[in-house]
Amino acid sequence: MINDGPLRVSSGVHWVGVNDTETKLFEGLWEIPEGVSYNSYLVIGSEKSALIDSVSKLKEREHLDKIGSLINPSKIDYIILNHMEPDHTSTVPKILEFSSNAKVVLSPIALNIFKNFYRLESETVVVKGDDVKIDLGGKTLRFIQSPWLHWPDTMCTYLVEEKMLFSCDAFGSFKRLPNGSVMDSDIENIDQYMDGASRKYFAGVFSGQREWVLKAVKKIEDLDIEIRVLAPSHGPVYSVNVKEIIIRWLSWSRPNYVKKVVVPFGSMYGMTAKFVEPIIEGIEEAGGKAITFNLSEKPPIDVLAEMLDAPALLIGTPTYEREIFPKVKQLLNLLELKKLSDRSVGVFGSFGWSGEAPRKLAEQLAVLGFRLVGNPLAVIGRPTQEDLKKAKELAKTIAETAFLERGLQ
Ligand SMILES: Cc1cc2nc3c(=O)[nH]c(=O)nc-3n(C[C@H](O)[C@H](O)[C@H](O)COP(=O)(O)O)c2cc1C
Ligand SMILES: [Fe+2]
Ligand SMILES: [Fe+2]
């Protein structure tokens, strides 16, 4: 069966989303070699119907066709926008051309963004607080404010009768959905999917919002809202692994550290890279696992994903125009934006003549809140045996310090 039509989620709830394997960079930033899905859901009650989130404009035709195969679009009563990011809203102006009676349901902050993004007048229902409900006839939608999941505008929609939570970006994944089903039970090796595609998505899109994930999960618990089905707007719909995906998102948000050290490095001609082998040895001697990344070969999102539960990192940079190597500088910028600084860190690097980069990197890491362990290891040209020994010792010290600090024995 090919993924060319709407797919059933449960009685009266249909997936009318799309897969996108054309976009190279999600948000113009994150590599998505396996694509991504934009999930949109049509909920049809005995009296009324509602569309929950839409999709990227890139797939407007396909989205409209799927809706049209289930319902005359003029019969859509509500378009619920949980979050205004254009990957979930940019087909709305077109949908409104066909569904001119539909009311757009959104939070007060989303209303402002909606007006500024699309500059159109439409009837709206502005949802404040957590008690607003819309009855579609045997299907009751309740709205729960969930700010910063992923923007300040965000809310979730809860289908009361089915105990189904439409969480928009939260609990989402990269990776296109398989053909024929959107359910987690139909995904081969769902554990790997959650640990890979969802973790990477969390790292890139959500890691700066960790405290809000914790707050939202607590709020759902406090409101006594049971989630039987979790239907995000990217990736699979969870009915079997609801707890499992929530536990993962909580563990990345808290975080739950493990005995590993991430070693991202830049290296133009392999001089700085020579330190990596003894660094791995040092980390392993301390009982940890070393995860290394040549930043010229791997995208920074891979580093962020590994850093979620790593208590330490060792960063390598050659000196480049008297500065930190640009690929390392980019990672530094992302670590700052995603607030991933509460960790032990060490620095190493080769240089040709002036050698400013390791010191500058160490200074900038300290400003961000990293705890610098040892002195930056800056070596002119090719590292000697003595230099390599120092790298191993530095790595071992960093790993031991970080593991001790986090109670990882
Ligand atoms: C474009 C360019 C600019 C460089 N700028 C500096 C510099 O300002 N100061 C310095 O000490 N070395 C500089 N170097 C030399 C490198 O830092 C040196 O070759 C180092 O060993 C490279 O390590 P790698 O092979 O790990 O990249 C520069 C090299 C290149 C290619
Ligand atoms: Fe978003
Ligand atoms: Fe999104």
Side-chain angles (χ1 to χ4, degrees), residues 130-404:
D130 303 313
D131 296 318
V132 177
K133 288 180 183 156
I134 289 179
D135 184 4
L136 303 176
K139 297 219 180 304
T140 313
L141 300 176
R142 177 181 175 186
F143 307 100
I144 296 145
Q145 304 295 321
S146 52
W148 294 106
L149 298 185
H150 142 244
W151 285 1
D153 59 338
T154 313
M155 62 181 193
C156 295
T157 300
Y158 186 60
L159 175 54
V160 177
E161 289 79 2
E162 306 272 341
K163 301 190 191 306
M164 189 181 294
L165 187 74
F166 299 92
S167 55
C168 198
D169 278 337
F171 310 107
S173 295
F174 287 141
K175 195 165 174 169
R176 58 153 294 171
L177 288 165
N179 293 333
S181 174
V182 294
M183 304 309 294
D184 59 343
S185 50
D186 290 322
I187 286 193
E188 227 173 281
N189 209 339
I190 184 72
D191 282 330
Q192 206 181 59
Y193 200 108
M194 293 187 284
D195 290 335
S198 189
R199 183 187 182 118
K200 207 177 267 197
Y201 171 87
F202 179 95
V205 180
F206 261 81
S207 58
Q209 261 65 285
R210 299 190 299 279
E211 62 183 299
W212 294 97
V213 172
L214 300 177
K215 278 185 199 170
V217 172
K218 178 158 190 319
K219 183 177 191 177
I220 299 277
E221 279 168 13
D222 290 348
L223 290 172
D224 222 3
I225 288 172
E226 187 194 340
I227 306 173
R228 204 177 284 159
V229 181
L230 184 54
S233 290
H234 302 287
V237 173
Y238 296 90
S239 64
V240 178
N241 296 277
V242 174
K243 268 203 193 102
E244 285 76 3
I245 188 68
I246 294 174
I247 285 169
R248 277 169 171 83
W249 274 60
L250 288 175
S251 83
W252 302 327
S253 299
R254 276 190 180 112
N256 290 352
Y257 293 106
V258 299
K259 288 177 89 171
K260 73 174 177 188
V261 179
V262 177
V263 188
F265 62 95
S267 190
M268 297 174 280
Y269 299 106
M271 296 294 188
T272 305
K274 290 192 190 303
F275 286 111
V276 172
E277 218 179 281
I279 282 173
I280 295 172
E281 282 171 21
I283 294 165
E284 287 178 353
E285 265 186 29
K289 191 173 174 202
I291 315 279
T292 66
F293 292 99
N294 182 336
L295 294 170
S296 298
E297 292 169 2
K298 293 277 184 188
I301 191 168
D302 290 9
V303 181
L304 300 182
E306 282 297 340
M307 273 196 60
L308 295 174
D309 54 2
L313 76 165
L314 243 162
I315 311 183
T317 179
T319 298
Y320 184 92
E321 311 291 20
R322 307 181 70 93
E323 261 299 338
I324 298 166
F325 188 57
K327 293 274 182 188
V328 178
K329 191 83 188 172
Q330 184 200 13
L331 176 66
L332 197 66
N333 180 233
L334 290 171
L335 295 178
E336 178 176 14
L337 299 180
K338 301 301 178 187
K339 305 180 198 104
L340 285 166
S341 56
D342 179 20
R343 280 145 177 88
S344 299
V345 71
V347 169
F348 61 99
S350 166
F351 63 93
W353 49 94
S354 56
E356 294 89 341
R359 180 185 50 79
K360 284 192 176 179
L361 178 58
E363 283 169 4
Q364 292 181 26
L365 286 163
V367 169
L368 293 188
F370 282 94
R371 293 176 292 282
L372 195 70
V373 179
N375 290 320
L377 188 57
V379 166
I380 190 157
R382 181 184 297 267
T384 62
Q385 283 307 317
E386 190 56 29
D387 296 327
L388 298 176
K389 216 171 124 208
K390 280 188 195 156
K392 181 175 168 178
E393 280 160 18
L394 177 64
K396 192 174 173 196
T397 307
I398 288 171
E400 284 171 349
T401 307
F403 298 162
L404 192 67

